[in-house]
Amino acid sequence: MLRKVLFNVRVVLKQQNQFHRAKHLATPKILQLEQIHINEAIKLEPTLSIYSPEIWRRAHETFQNHGLETVNFLRIVTGNPAVLKRTPDKIINSLEIWRACQFGEHLLHLLLTKYPELLDITESHQLLEHIAFLKSRVSTSKNVWKLLMNSPDLIAQPEESLEEKLNYIIDVMRIEVPEIVKSAALTLPFEEIRCRHQFLVRLGLFKPRPLKADPNEPTTNHKLYQITDTSEKSFATKICHVTLPEYEAFKELYAKELQRKNKKSKDEEEFSDEDD
């Protein structure tokens, strides 16, 4: 199941930063896997120490035969140590599952290197269905790739949840696909996207484009990534120019407002049913 794949983006990015700082792994072109590289990788991820040199060599050779450079292999195994013990056939099968998404070899290698957990996916049919759904909403395979580079957890989100968020961003906020794929907006819960947007609207800091407006026409609105790809504190202080407690107070009041509206709608429906 795709939803069993868990993503902790902050942990992955922390590992990537540690990798870049590692003395013998910082060179972008490492042609051969040497013991010094293995030792550095083990310092970053101690659980790798249980594997023999033969297992390292076998896994490295498999990835290398499929176009991934040694430095990418090292990033993958430090980010997802379980990959190292897999048989060549299992590694190749994982790579083929992702190749079927048709991102192109270079873009695919960037994605798998950044988020090695994606190699845990084994359900080819489910993955391709999910990718097809995303492509139906953002038009191209490259846009799907951009979404995943910013929000790998999209793979584990139900289509209904993604549909709700995309509909809101496109139809209510009137933000175009090129801006959406440059953000990690879809990582946020729908309620958080709506709440941040409504707070900006009520502060007079966000005005949706007219329906027939040129999408290339400049706007005074903040970019989507500025609204969504920040902590609550940064959103409140840097984007909205208010204090965090003020935003937190709005969240509580807005939640109560929505509850009242939902209750009113239900009451009206029940009243209408009684009349019938």
Side-chain angles (χ1 to χ4, degrees), residues 3-139:
R3 295 176 198 176
K4 290 182 180 178
V5 179
L6 301 177
F7 298 92
N8 190 327
V9 177
R10 290 182 182 177
V11 170
V12 172
L13 294 180
K14 183 179 178 182
Q15 289 170 332
Q16 297 287 335
N17 290 334
Q18 288 175 332
F19 190 97
H20 284 299
R21 290 196 294 270
K23 182 179 177 182
H24 299 289
L25 304 181
T27 307
K29 283 281 185 182
I30 302 174
L31 298 179
Q32 298 299 323
L33 181 67
E34 299 177 8
Q35 189 61 44
I36 196 168
H37 304 137
I38 295 174
N39 293 342
E40 288 282 2
I42 290 171
K43 286 180 185 178
L44 295 178
E45 182 49 66
T47 60
L48 292 169
S49 63
I50 65 173
Y51 300 112
S52 68
E54 174 57 26
I55 289 177
W56 278 89
R57 185 202 61 76
R58 184 186 70 185
H60 172 251
E61 187 177 276
T62 303
F63 278 100
Q64 199 171 46
N65 288 342
H66 284 264
L68 284 112
E69 296 178 0
T70 301
V71 70
N72 291 337
F73 163 73
L74 291 166
R75 287 173 179 157
I76 287 170
V77 297
T78 53
N80 189 357
V83 169
L84 198 58
K85 66 182 179 184
R86 293 176 189 166
T87 64
D89 284 346
K90 285 187 176 180
I91 293 172
I92 292 167
N93 184 58
S94 295
L95 292 172
E96 291 301 329
I97 285 172
W98 279 100
R99 280 196 175 107
C101 298
Q102 299 182 334
F103 297 141
E105 288 294 290
H106 177 64
L107 297 184
L108 178 58
H109 293 171
L110 290 176
L111 180 65
L112 297 179
T113 300
K114 189 174 183 180
Y115 302 114
E117 299 99 322
L118 293 174
L119 287 167
D120 293 343
I121 291 174
T122 57
E123 297 290 341
S124 175
H125 182 67
Q126 286 186 352
L127 176 63
L128 290 177
E129 278 192 344
H130 208 61
I131 295 296
F133 162 72
L134 291 171
K135 187 175 178 180
S136 74
R137 294 306 311 260
V138 298
S139 304

